[in-house]
Structures are given as structure tokens and as C-alpha cells.
Amino acid sequence: MEIYDLIIIGGGPAGYTGAIRAAQLGLKTAVVEKDKTLGGTCLNVGCIPSKALLQSSEFFHEAQHDFAAHGIRLESVKLDLATMMARKNKIVGDLTGGIEFLFKKNKVTHLKGFGKILNTTTVEVTDANGTVSAIQTKNIMIASGSVPVELPFLKFDEKKILSSTGALALDYVPKDMLVVGGGVIGLEMGSVWARLGSKVTVIEYGERICAMMDTDCINVLTRSLKKLGVEFLTSTKVTASRSVGGRIELDYESLTDGKKSSIQGDVVLVSTGRKPFTDGLGLENVQIEKDERGRIRINEHYQTHHANIFAVGDVTVGPMLAHKAEEEGVAVAEIIATGHGHVNYTAVPSVIYTHPEVAAVGLTEAEAKAAGIEVAVGKFPFSANGRAKARGATEGFVKIIADKRTDRIIGGHIVGANASELLGEIIVAIEFGGSSEDLARSFHSHPTMSEVIREAALAVDKRQRQG
Ligand SMILES: Cc1cc2nc3c(=O)[nH]c(=O)nc-3n(C[C@H](O)[C@H](O)[C@H](O)COP(=O)(O)OP(=O)(O)OC[C@H]3O[C@@H](n4cnc5c(N)ncnc54)[C@H](O)[C@@H]3O)c2cc1C
């Protein structure tokens, strides 16, 4: 009988990346995936389709509002939503097919079906025809990911009450969209539909949107989204919903003064978070424990209480991000094959791909203060940068946070066009234990928007040249 070194349950970023690394290290590896395509949430209904629509809708908005300033006059700009969606679907198809190719190239076995742990060395796979096979393995990696959280009075039908999956696949532009939850997914999908013409209202329980991110960055983003026409109801709790003449009406209550009100929309996007997915995994067969939020409990080596059963990605603790999931998958493959594997959690970036984008790594000023670290902060605006002016992208700034005692960079926060790409050098600086002086002394091509990072690094020591 064939015995695998590693069976991975789930073919998302954690699973497929871990599988490829395991195979590269010589482990006989298989991935069990229940869905038709590999790539998990990220490639099929997450990171990639959302970024495809964000890009297309940004072009649509720019063509209408920004091209004229460049001396480009368009008689009329028309939306062809079907083509926009087909383009998104093609990108998803290309990338998920690419993982199949990588599996073949690296000799990873793709087991199509639902995976269930029977005991510490057996995974049962049930395929689409109901055929069941029991497969033997030395190690198991649980990478079963997460699913959207549903509210009891807002059950997803993906027509009127949408999860992010439904919001990625609408075949018309709703007149108005109510977004319940002002986190990353709500703001990204809200931006897409606002740019395409929907009146978007974001209803957020907290005092402000994206509470975990740098306050100054979020203030810039909020201003910009309001300019786009997005309305925000913060400190507001949605309490009930009903269908009224084909529209959805939500009751809500202000958490500041208790005032009750209601609002109607063509559709509601519920983006109040995601929860780990462990249904049918057979955790009870091996007594694997979950915490109070349903996340599989692991130690610092990603092991459950069985040394050969690991959990990585969205199904366990930590930020629900594709790159975090990937790194954990790789770390477990390396731990199994070599005994060593590591993820540097101080350098996990997070990004909101709106316009402007918000990108962050490391600590905010507030978090540093709470941790008792005295900081020196350098901040520099894009409005003083030549390339940003040439591009018409002067909104926003870069903020570098250094430990005042050592000058070591402990945080970087950017709000502006392409913030996600610009953040890269700050991530690397943190990974290398770099100081603001290191960034300030590094060449930055002129003219580029990355010069703002250098100026912010110089500003840590109040040595910025412009602005
Ligand atoms: C709209 C949206 C946008 C996002 N944008 C970003 C972004 O820009 N950047 C970012 O970093 N993150 C983003 N994310 C989050 C990102 O998609 C997740 O963090 C990431 O996919 C987690 O990877 P994973 O491998 O842990 O789980 P998943 O990607 O959820 O993959 C888990 C896989 O396991 C399979 N599975 C589950 N149980 C079983 C079983 N018993 N048997 C067989 N197969 C099983 C599932 O079918 C799935 O394919 C976004 C998410 C959404 C919803």
C-alpha cells in the first residue's frame, strides 16, 4: 500500500504552497481538495478576483474622472460589465490551472474530493461520485481555510444578501449597496461597486473603519472614499433585516445615542469577517481541539496535540491573509523534512487595495506605545514628490516608525497609490533588522514614488530634504 509522507487537506495558499515546498524537499506529498479547482479562497473567490475587479473599476473611474486633466478627452465611457467579469474569470482560470501545472511539475498528487481525518495516519477521501478511499500518511497538514461569517438575520442567498463571493459575481450594477462591516473586504468590494455606479453605504460597528490600521492612514482613506460617494455609518449596529418590494431594508441602531433608524438597498454585502472551516474534517476522531473562535489549537511548531498533525493558514490563529498562510505551509513542510521552519510574524504585511491603498507592516504608533516602546516617527507626503505629481497621485504619505533607542524600524505605514508595492522595501528592511538610517542611506531611483520612503526615513531624524 502507498504511504505518503504528507497529506495536506485543502488546496489554498497554505496547502498548495506547502505541498510544492514539501515535494521540493523530497517528501511524497498529496493535496486533497474538495472544490473543482485548486487555489482556495484566494485564487477562486478572494485576493485575485477582487483585485481584477478593483483594477478594472479603477480604470473605469479614471477614464471618467481623471483622464481629462491629462488632456485626454473621451466622448463617452461605457461599462461592459460582462466583459469585465469574463476577464476576471479568465484570470482566475489561468491561475488555478497554473497550480495544477505546478503540482505536476513538482510531482504533488492532487486527490480530488473531501478529506476527513480517520486517525493520525489515515485520511479518507470521498470524491464527487461518492467513491471513498482511505489513504495512509506519516503526516497530515490541515489547511482547510475559512468561510464568510453569516449573520442570523442576514442569511446569504448571493442574490440580494451577498457574501464577498456573491459581490464578486453580480451581473448588474446595483443602484445602491449596503455594506455591513467596514473591514478590508467590505471596503474593497464597496469601492468596486461605488466606482461602477452604485451608491454604497458602509455600516460599521466600531468607531471607525479598519480599527487595527494606522489612524492617520485610515483618515486619508475615509476622506477619499467619501469623495467617491461612499457613506459611512460608524458606531452603528444592524439589528434586523426584511425584504420590501424586492429591496432589502436594514434596521440599525446608533451605539452612541441609541437612535434607531432603517435604510434600504438593492443588495446587502455582509462582510463582518470570516471563520475557520473545519466541518466534516473528522477532528473528533483524533480529539483535536479548537479555541473559542473555532481555530485549531497549535503549538509554535504548528502541531496540534498530535506531533504529526499540523494546522496552518486561516484555519488556525493569526491574520487571515494569503501570504501568512503560504509562509506557514512552507514552514511546516520544512519542519517535517528538515526539523526547522520559521515565520517572522513581526513582518507580516497587510493591505487594503482601495484607492488610495493602505499598506502596513509591523507596529502602529499606538501598538508601540502599548508595548512600552519609545518611538521616533518620520512622515513624508506624496504631494512633495515629483513622480507622484507627474502621475497625479499626490494623495497620502509614508510613515516610518523606529525604535528611538536603537533606530531599528518596527513599523511602516503607507497610504497612497501603489502603497502595496511600495511597502516591499520596508518589509525587507524589517526582515533584515534594518534601521531608518539604512533606508535613508539607500539609493532610490529618481524620480520614483519610493523616494517618499527614503524621505520618511530621513524624517525619523528630521533630515528630510523636501516638504
Ligand atoms: C474577497 C476576499 C479578498 C481577499 N483578498 C486578500 C488579499 O488581497 N490578500 C490576502 O493576503 N488575503 C486576501 N484574502 C484572504 C485570503 O484569501 C485567505 O487568507 C487565504 O485564502 C487563506 O488561505 P488558506 O490556504 O488558509 O485557506 P483557503 O484559501 O480558504 O483554502 C482552503 C481550501 O481547503 C479546501 N477544503 C476545506 N476543507 C476541506 C476538506 N475537508 N477536504 C478537502 N478540501 C477542503 C477548501 O475548498 C479550500 O480550497 C481575501 C479573502 C477574500 C474572501
Side-chain angles (χ1 to χ4, degrees), residues 9-15 32-35 39-42 45-47 50-51 113-115 143-146 164 168 185 188 274 277 279 281 312-315 320-323 325 353:
I9 302 179
V32 191
E33 173 53 57
K34 66 177 173 54
D35 287 351
T41 304
C42 175
V45 289
C47 326
S50 61
K51 268 78 245 178
F114 196 97
S144 53
S146 62
S164 51
L168 286 165
I185 291 175
E188 291 185 6
R274 295 179 62 82
F277 180 73
D279 295 1
L281 255 185
V312 289
D314 280 12
V315 77
M320 288 187 172
L321 291 167
H323 43 268
Y353 294 84

Side-chain angles (χ1 to χ4, degrees), residues 373-413:
I373 304 170
E374 215 188 327
V375 295
V377 179
K379 191 172 161 190
F380 199 82
F382 286 108
S383 57
N385 173 266
R387 184 68 184 278
K389 274 190 183 299
R391 202 184 141 174
T394 51
E395 197 176 16
F397 60 82
V398 174
K399 190 189 270 188
I400 305 268
I401 301 174
D403 183 321
K404 195 163 191 173
R405 202 171 48 85
T406 60
D407 192 38
R408 192 176 173 143
I409 300 169
I410 56 170
H413 305 271

Side-chain angles (χ1 to χ4, degrees), residues 128-185:
N129 303 319
T131 310
V132 181
S133 26
I135 301 169
Q136 299 301 307
T137 182
K138 291 179 191 156
N139 297 284
I140 298 170
M141 187 196 295
I142 304 170
S144 53
S146 62
V147 288
V149 171
E150 209 170 40
L151 294 176
F153 52 87
L154 280 169
K155 298 268 182 209
F156 299 130
D157 61 17
E158 303 301 8
K159 296 241 171 330
K160 289 280 166 191
I161 299 172
L162 313 171
S163 71
S164 51
T165 303
L168 286 165
L170 288 174
D171 57 6
Y172 69 101
V173 179
K175 193 160 107 355
D176 30 32
M177 172 181 267
L178 307 176
V179 177
V180 181
V184 178
I185 291 175

Side-chain angles (χ1 to χ4, degrees), residues 275-291:
K275 59 176 185 188
F277 180 73
T278 54
D279 295 1
L281 255 185
L283 296 184
E284 63 289 353
N285 294 336
V286 277
Q287 288 83 45
I288 285 179
E289 288 178 15
K290 296 190 274 184
D291 68 12

